[in-house]
Short mmCIF file of all heavy atoms in Angstrom, two decimals:
data_model
loop_
_atom_site.label_atom_id
_atom_site.label_comp_id
_atom_site.label_asym_id
_atom_site.label_seq_id
_atom_site.Cartn_x
_atom_site.Cartn_y
_atom_site.Cartn_z
N VAL X 1 10.43 -9.60 2.05
CA VAL X 1 10.41 -8.70 0.90
C VAL X 1 10.73 -7.29 1.36
O VAL X 1 10.09 -6.77 2.28
CB VAL X 1 9.04 -8.74 0.19
CG1 VAL X 1 8.97 -7.69 -0.92
CG2 VAL X 1 8.77 -10.13 -0.38
N ASP X 2 11.70 -6.66 0.73
CA ASP X 2 12.09 -5.30 1.07
C ASP X 2 11.35 -4.31 0.18
O ASP X 2 11.50 -4.33 -1.04
CB ASP X 2 13.59 -5.12 0.90
CG ASP X 2 14.03 -3.68 1.16
OD1 ASP X 2 13.60 -3.11 2.19
OD2 ASP X 2 14.78 -3.12 0.33
N VAL X 3 10.53 -3.47 0.80
CA VAL X 3 9.88 -2.38 0.08
C VAL X 3 10.64 -1.10 0.46
O VAL X 3 10.59 -0.67 1.61
CB VAL X 3 8.39 -2.25 0.45
CG1 VAL X 3 7.78 -1.04 -0.24
CG2 VAL X 3 7.64 -3.52 0.08
N PRO X 4 11.36 -0.49 -0.46
CA PRO X 4 12.18 0.68 -0.11
C PRO X 4 11.31 1.89 0.24
O PRO X 4 10.19 2.04 -0.26
CB PRO X 4 12.98 0.94 -1.38
CG PRO X 4 12.13 0.38 -2.49
CD PRO X 4 11.45 -0.82 -1.90
N TYR X 5 11.83 2.76 1.09
CA TYR X 5 11.10 3.96 1.48
C TYR X 5 12.08 4.97 2.05
O TYR X 5 13.21 4.64 2.42
CB TYR X 5 10.02 3.63 2.52
CG TYR X 5 10.56 3.01 3.79
CD1 TYR X 5 11.00 3.79 4.86
CD2 TYR X 5 10.64 1.62 3.93
CE1 TYR X 5 11.50 3.23 6.01
CE2 TYR X 5 11.16 1.04 5.09
CZ TYR X 5 11.58 1.85 6.12
OH TYR X 5 12.09 1.29 7.27
N TYR X 6 11.63 6.21 2.14
CA TYR X 6 12.38 7.29 2.78
C TYR X 6 11.56 7.99 3.86
O TYR X 6 12.01 8.19 4.98
CB TYR X 6 12.85 8.33 1.76
CG TYR X 6 13.86 7.82 0.78
CD1 TYR X 6 13.53 7.64 -0.57
CD2 TYR X 6 15.16 7.50 1.17
CE1 TYR X 6 14.46 7.16 -1.48
CE2 TYR X 6 16.09 7.03 0.27
CZ TYR X 6 15.73 6.86 -1.05
OH TYR X 6 16.65 6.39 -1.95
N CYS X 7 10.36 8.40 3.52
CA CYS X 7 9.59 9.24 4.44
C CYS X 7 8.88 8.43 5.52
O CYS X 7 8.58 8.95 6.59
CB CYS X 7 8.58 10.10 3.68
SG CYS X 7 7.25 9.16 2.88
N TYR X 8 8.60 7.16 5.26
CA TYR X 8 7.90 6.34 6.24
C TYR X 8 8.76 6.10 7.47
O TYR X 8 9.98 5.87 7.37
CB TYR X 8 7.50 5.00 5.62
CG TYR X 8 7.02 3.97 6.62
CD1 TYR X 8 5.75 4.07 7.18
CD2 TYR X 8 7.84 2.91 7.00
CE1 TYR X 8 5.31 3.14 8.11
CE2 TYR X 8 7.41 1.97 7.92
CZ TYR X 8 6.14 2.09 8.48
OH TYR X 8 5.72 1.18 9.41
N HIS X 9 8.15 6.17 8.65
CA HIS X 9 8.81 5.78 9.90
C HIS X 9 7.75 5.11 10.77
O HIS X 9 6.63 5.63 10.90
CB HIS X 9 9.40 7.00 10.62
CG HIS X 9 10.29 6.63 11.77
ND1 HIS X 9 9.80 6.24 13.01
CD2 HIS X 9 11.65 6.58 11.86
CE1 HIS X 9 10.82 5.97 13.81
NE2 HIS X 9 11.94 6.17 13.15
N PRO X 10 8.06 3.97 11.37
CA PRO X 10 7.03 3.21 12.10
C PRO X 10 6.44 3.95 13.29
O PRO X 10 5.36 3.58 13.77
CB PRO X 10 7.77 1.94 12.55
CG PRO X 10 9.23 2.28 12.48
CD PRO X 10 9.36 3.26 11.36
N LYS X 11 7.11 4.99 13.80
CA LYS X 11 6.62 5.71 14.97
C LYS X 11 6.05 7.08 14.63
O LYS X 11 5.72 7.85 15.54
CB LYS X 11 7.74 5.86 16.01
CG LYS X 11 8.32 4.54 16.48
CD LYS X 11 7.27 3.65 17.12
CE LYS X 11 7.86 2.32 17.55
NZ LYS X 11 6.84 1.43 18.15
N LEU X 12 5.93 7.39 13.35
CA LEU X 12 5.39 8.68 12.93
C LEU X 12 4.20 8.47 12.00
O LEU X 12 4.00 7.37 11.47
CB LEU X 12 6.48 9.49 12.20
CG LEU X 12 7.75 9.80 12.98
CD1 LEU X 12 8.77 10.49 12.08
CD2 LEU X 12 7.45 10.64 14.21
N THR X 13 3.42 9.52 11.81
CA THR X 13 2.28 9.43 10.91
C THR X 13 2.74 9.24 9.48
O THR X 13 3.86 9.58 9.10
CB THR X 13 1.41 10.70 11.00
OG1 THR X 13 2.24 11.83 10.72
CG2 THR X 13 0.78 10.85 12.36
N VAL X 14 1.85 8.70 8.67
CA VAL X 14 2.14 8.44 7.26
C VAL X 14 1.79 9.68 6.44
O VAL X 14 0.71 10.26 6.59
CB VAL X 14 1.34 7.23 6.75
CG1 VAL X 14 1.47 7.09 5.24
CG2 VAL X 14 1.82 5.96 7.44
N VAL X 15 2.72 10.11 5.58
CA VAL X 15 2.46 11.26 4.72
C VAL X 15 2.61 10.94 3.23
O VAL X 15 2.05 11.63 2.38
CB VAL X 15 3.37 12.45 5.08
CG1 VAL X 15 3.01 13.02 6.43
CG2 VAL X 15 4.83 12.06 5.02
N GLY X 16 3.37 9.92 2.90
CA GLY X 16 3.52 9.54 1.49
C GLY X 16 4.27 10.55 0.66
O GLY X 16 3.95 10.76 -0.52
N ASN X 17 5.29 11.18 1.23
CA ASN X 17 6.04 12.21 0.49
C ASN X 17 6.92 11.65 -0.61
O ASN X 17 6.99 12.20 -1.70
CB ASN X 17 6.92 13.01 1.46
CG ASN X 17 6.15 14.05 2.24
OD1 ASN X 17 4.94 14.10 2.17
ND2 ASN X 17 6.87 14.86 2.99
N CYS X 18 7.63 10.58 -0.32
CA CYS X 18 8.75 10.20 -1.19
C CYS X 18 8.33 9.37 -2.39
O CYS X 18 9.04 9.36 -3.40
CB CYS X 18 9.82 9.46 -0.38
SG CYS X 18 9.35 7.80 0.17
N ARG X 19 7.23 8.63 -2.30
CA ARG X 19 6.69 7.78 -3.38
C ARG X 19 7.65 6.64 -3.74
O ARG X 19 7.52 6.03 -4.80
CB ARG X 19 6.38 8.58 -4.64
CG ARG X 19 5.77 9.94 -4.42
CD ARG X 19 4.54 9.91 -3.54
NE ARG X 19 3.36 9.35 -4.17
CZ ARG X 19 2.17 9.25 -3.59
NH1 ARG X 19 2.02 9.68 -2.34
NH2 ARG X 19 1.14 8.72 -4.21
N MET X 20 8.57 6.32 -2.86
CA MET X 20 9.53 5.25 -3.16
C MET X 20 8.92 3.87 -2.90
O MET X 20 9.38 2.88 -3.46
CB MET X 20 10.78 5.45 -2.31
CG MET X 20 11.95 4.56 -2.68
SD MET X 20 12.58 4.94 -4.31
CE MET X 20 13.76 3.63 -4.56
N CYS X 21 7.90 3.80 -2.06
CA CYS X 21 7.36 2.50 -1.64
C CYS X 21 6.19 2.05 -2.51
O CYS X 21 5.29 1.35 -2.03
CB CYS X 21 6.94 2.56 -0.17
SG CYS X 21 5.61 3.74 0.16
N LEU X 22 6.18 2.44 -3.78
CA LEU X 22 5.06 2.09 -4.66
C LEU X 22 4.94 0.58 -4.85
O LEU X 22 5.95 -0.14 -4.98
CB LEU X 22 5.25 2.78 -6.02
CG LEU X 22 5.08 4.30 -6.01
CD1 LEU X 22 5.52 4.88 -7.34
CD2 LEU X 22 3.64 4.68 -5.71
N ILE X 23 3.72 0.11 -4.87
CA ILE X 23 3.40 -1.31 -5.06
C ILE X 23 2.19 -1.42 -5.97
O ILE X 23 1.44 -0.46 -6.17
CB ILE X 23 3.08 -1.99 -3.71
CG1 ILE X 23 1.90 -1.27 -3.03
CG2 ILE X 23 4.30 -2.05 -2.81
CD1 ILE X 23 1.37 -1.96 -1.80
N GLU X 24 2.00 -2.59 -6.54
CA GLU X 24 0.76 -2.89 -7.25
C GLU X 24 -0.19 -3.57 -6.27
O GLU X 24 0.23 -4.42 -5.47
CB GLU X 24 1.02 -3.79 -8.45
CG GLU X 24 1.62 -3.09 -9.64
CD GLU X 24 1.53 -3.94 -10.89
OE1 GLU X 24 0.40 -4.21 -11.36
OE2 GLU X 24 2.59 -4.33 -11.40
N MET X 25 -1.45 -3.19 -6.32
CA MET X 25 -2.42 -3.70 -5.36
C MET X 25 -3.66 -4.21 -6.08
O MET X 25 -4.11 -3.61 -7.08
CB MET X 25 -2.81 -2.59 -4.38
CG MET X 25 -3.70 -3.05 -3.23
SD MET X 25 -4.05 -1.70 -2.09
CE MET X 25 -5.29 -0.80 -3.01
N GLY X 26 -4.21 -5.31 -5.60
CA GLY X 26 -5.43 -5.86 -6.17
C GLY X 26 -6.27 -6.54 -5.11
O GLY X 26 -5.78 -6.88 -4.03
N MET X 27 -7.55 -6.72 -5.44
CA MET X 27 -8.48 -7.39 -4.52
C MET X 27 -9.20 -8.51 -5.26
O MET X 27 -9.40 -8.43 -6.49
CB MET X 27 -9.50 -6.40 -3.98
CG MET X 27 -8.93 -5.34 -3.05
SD MET X 27 -8.26 -6.02 -1.52
CE MET X 27 -9.77 -6.55 -0.69
N PRO X 28 -9.59 -9.57 -4.55
CA PRO X 28 -10.33 -10.66 -5.20
C PRO X 28 -11.61 -10.14 -5.85
O PRO X 28 -12.34 -9.33 -5.28
CB PRO X 28 -10.64 -11.62 -4.03
CG PRO X 28 -9.60 -11.31 -3.01
CD PRO X 28 -9.33 -9.85 -3.13
N ALA X 29 -11.85 -10.59 -7.08
CA ALA X 29 -13.01 -10.11 -7.84
C ALA X 29 -14.28 -10.85 -7.41
O ALA X 29 -14.27 -12.06 -7.18
CB ALA X 29 -12.77 -10.32 -9.33
N VAL X 30 -15.38 -10.09 -7.30
CA VAL X 30 -16.69 -10.67 -7.02
C VAL X 30 -17.70 -10.06 -7.98
O VAL X 30 -17.52 -8.93 -8.47
CB VAL X 30 -17.14 -10.42 -5.57
CG1 VAL X 30 -16.24 -11.13 -4.58
CG2 VAL X 30 -17.20 -8.93 -5.27
N ASP X 31 -18.73 -10.81 -8.30
CA ASP X 31 -19.79 -10.29 -9.16
C ASP X 31 -20.54 -9.19 -8.44
O ASP X 31 -20.99 -9.40 -7.30
CB ASP X 31 -20.76 -11.42 -9.53
CG ASP X 31 -21.79 -10.98 -10.56
OD1 ASP X 31 -22.78 -10.35 -10.12
OD2 ASP X 31 -21.58 -11.22 -11.75
N PRO X 32 -20.65 -7.99 -9.03
CA PRO X 32 -21.30 -6.87 -8.32
C PRO X 32 -22.74 -7.15 -7.92
O PRO X 32 -23.21 -6.65 -6.90
CB PRO X 32 -21.23 -5.72 -9.33
CG PRO X 32 -20.16 -6.11 -10.30
CD PRO X 32 -20.15 -7.59 -10.35
N ALA X 33 -23.40 -7.96 -8.71
CA ALA X 33 -24.82 -8.20 -8.43
C ALA X 33 -25.02 -9.31 -7.42
O ALA X 33 -25.78 -9.18 -6.46
CB ALA X 33 -25.55 -8.51 -9.74
N THR X 34 -24.33 -10.43 -7.64
CA THR X 34 -24.58 -11.61 -6.79
C THR X 34 -23.57 -11.75 -5.65
O THR X 34 -23.77 -12.56 -4.76
CB THR X 34 -24.52 -12.88 -7.66
OG1 THR X 34 -23.18 -13.02 -8.19
CG2 THR X 34 -25.52 -12.80 -8.81
N LYS X 35 -22.46 -11.00 -5.72
CA LYS X 35 -21.38 -11.09 -4.73
C LYS X 35 -20.69 -12.45 -4.74
O LYS X 35 -19.99 -12.82 -3.79
CB LYS X 35 -21.89 -10.79 -3.31
CG LYS X 35 -22.64 -9.47 -3.17
CD LYS X 35 -21.77 -8.29 -3.57
CE LYS X 35 -22.52 -6.97 -3.42
NZ LYS X 35 -21.73 -5.80 -3.89
N VAL X 36 -20.89 -13.18 -5.84
CA VAL X 36 -20.23 -14.48 -5.97
C VAL X 36 -18.82 -14.27 -6.50
O VAL X 36 -18.62 -13.46 -7.42
CB VAL X 36 -21.03 -15.39 -6.94
CG1 VAL X 36 -20.29 -16.70 -7.20
CG2 VAL X 36 -22.42 -15.66 -6.38
N PRO X 37 -17.83 -14.97 -5.95
CA PRO X 37 -16.47 -14.81 -6.45
C PRO X 37 -16.36 -15.12 -7.93
O PRO X 37 -16.98 -16.06 -8.44
CB PRO X 37 -15.66 -15.82 -5.61
CG PRO X 37 -16.47 -16.00 -4.37
CD PRO X 37 -17.90 -15.87 -4.79
#
């Protein structure tokens, strides 16, 4: 999968200038009280 970018470089620090590499992100849901999935 190609995620486009401009400012990112694997040998430099991350700054997030260009905003070209936007993605949707999610995490598995768990019950806040019981921690059950």
Side-chain angles (χ1 to χ4, degrees):
V1 174
D2 176 48
V3 176
Y5 59 87
Y6 293 111
C7 67
Y8 168 75
H9 190 282
K11 301 301 178 181
L12 301 175
T13 56
V14 171
V15 292
N17 281 7
C18 70
R19 321 307 287 182
M20 190 66 187
C21 63
L22 290 170
I23 58 172
E24 283 194 65
M25 186 178 77
M27 292 295 291
V30 295
D31 186 279
T34 64
K35 307 301 181 184
V36 175

